[in-house]
Amino acid sequence: DLRHLPPELLLLVYKIKGADGNILITDAMRAAGQTGRESVLGGRLGGQRVIVEDGVAKLPDGSSFAGSVATADVLLRSGVQSGIPLVDVVKMMTATPAKIAGGKEIGAVAVGNKADLVLFDEALRIRAVLKDGRPVQIKG
């Protein structure tokens, strides 16, 4: 999300390990994709109250990060903004983690694979999502 790690560090790790040796994942908390300024980290009852500002969840006093709210499309744009080629960012979010997880029907567009696809525009904003080849309604 370019907040937990600076773009220079992300690019350095990419240059050392390449697209086959890195994966980009989100460990986002429940506030991801939400518009509210407050959320809870952990269980709804007894969890830690957090505030969301500048694209990250922080402790209420703003003293430290409490968690990530970055969705996968944010990570895609962050990777490209860091200087990693788009094709390699996509690979680090699809084929590489699928290979590590041993996925047989995921990670690539191929005959016999699941038809789970995300379509982006030129600005790398989500325009359509297919799950098992069927359109999924997305938030505007």
Side-chain angles (χ1 to χ4, degrees), residues 13-133:
V13 171
Y14 164 75
K15 286 182 176 180
I16 292 170
K17 302 277 291 179
D20 291 317
N22 285 295
I23 61 173
L24 290 177
I25 59 168
T26 178
D27 62 347
M29 55 177 284
R30 75 169 52 96
Q34 305 300 314
T35 57
R37 183 167 148 68
E38 291 191 14
S39 188
V40 176
L41 177 62
R44 291 178 193 248
L45 299 175
Q48 170 68 50
R49 190 175 80 76
V50 298
I51 57 170
V52 179
E53 60 184 18
D54 303 323
V56 294
K58 301 175 184 177
L59 295 180
D61 65 3
S63 63
S64 67
F65 287 174
S68 174
V69 295
T71 53
D73 59 315
V74 170
L75 297 183
L76 177 80
R77 289 188 295 277
S78 296
V80 171
Q81 288 172 353
S82 297
I84 301 171
L86 176 60
V87 66
D88 284 346
V89 174
V90 170
K91 184 175 187 177
M92 292 188 298
M93 296 180 77
T94 58
T96 302
K99 182 178 177 182
I100 291 169
K104 303 278 189 245
E105 299 175 339
I106 58 173
V109 178
V111 173
N113 279 11
K114 290 184 171 226
D116 297 340
L117 303 168
V118 179
L119 306 174
F120 294 90
D121 63 16
E122 297 80 19
L124 302 178
R125 300 283 177 194
I126 297 173
R127 289 296 165 229
V129 175
L130 300 175
K131 173 76 174 138
D132 295 324

